[in-house]
Amino acid sequence: MSLRATNTWKTDTNKHVAMAHSLHGTSRSLRDASHDMDKTTRRIQKDTQNQVDMALNEKMESSAQVKSALKHTLNDAEAEISALAADRGNLEACLQQKKQALQLSSERYSLRGTRPSREHTSDTVQNLLCKQQSELSKSIKTINGLIVENE
């Protein structure tokens, strides 16, 4: 071991104390920078979370509107289907009435055909029965077309 001069020891000590103060200041600066970085990171994370929440809420609201519109459309479609079913029922009832009327008209026409030959004339009644049968046949055909169209 070598002996050192008192002045050297004092100078070295002052250097070390100055270096310690410098390291202490640097450490404080790094800690402050770390705290600032942590605050910034937390703020960015919070802002990002808020943006994600807002986007999710907008999507949920949009989805709710689409769901509501689809339900409304579905209700409209169901109402239309019900109306078509009712129309079909009405058409089938009307068709049945026309068929009965056609059958009655055909029976009357056939009954006129059983009359004696001297009474076989093409009079107004005969012509009207023919016209009635034709019109009833057209009506039946039209109603059948409407029923097929509504299927």
Side-chain angles (χ1 to χ4, degrees):
M1 268 194 170
S2 66
L3 293 176
R4 296 176 31 190
T6 308
N7 194 19
T8 307
W9 178 82
K10 190 176 184 183
T11 304
D12 285 346
T13 301
N14 285 339
K15 283 182 190 178
H16 287 230
V17 168
M19 192 185 302
H21 283 295
S22 174
L23 287 174
H24 183 64
T26 303
S27 176
R28 174 169 283 150
S29 296
L30 289 173
R31 268 194 310 275
D32 289 345
S34 174
H35 287 295
D36 289 344
M37 177 92 56
D38 187 46
K39 284 181 186 178
T40 302
T41 303
R42 288 176 193 240
R43 182 183 49 78
I44 290 171
Q45 183 181 13
K46 186 177 179 182
D47 290 347
T48 303
Q49 182 64 41
N50 287 339
Q51 289 173 349
V52 168
D53 287 345
M54 286 174 40
L56 183 60
N57 286 335
E58 287 174 6
K59 282 289 187 183
M60 288 172 49
E61 194 174 307
S62 174
S63 294
Q65 290 173 352
V66 168
K67 181 180 177 182
S68 176
L70 287 173
K71 280 185 177 181
H72 181 69
T73 302
L74 179 62
N75 289 340
D76 289 349
E78 287 175 345
E80 190 172 331
I81 288 170
S82 295
L84 286 172
D87 287 347
R88 182 183 175 114
N90 291 338
L91 285 171
E92 287 174 351
C94 186
L95 178 65
Q96 191 61 33
Q97 289 175 347
K98 296 294 181 188
K99 284 182 177 180
Q100 288 174 353
L102 180 62
Q103 183 180 0
L104 179 63
S105 180
S106 295
E107 287 173 4
R108 287 180 180 165
Y109 187 78
S110 295
L111 183 63
R112 287 183 64 84
T114 61
R115 294 177 16 191
S117 60
R118 68 179 178 278
E119 293 180 15
H120 280 280
T121 59
S122 183
D123 59 358
T124 306
V125 175
Q126 183 85 11
N127 291 335
L128 288 175
L129 281 173
C130 285
K131 185 176 180 180
Q132 183 182 36
Q133 284 181 338
S134 173
E135 292 297 321
L136 286 171
S137 293
K138 286 179 189 175
S139 293
I140 289 172
K141 186 176 179 180
T142 302
I143 292 170
N144 276 327
L146 289 172
I147 290 173
V148 168
E149 186 179 305
N150 285 332
E151 287 181 349

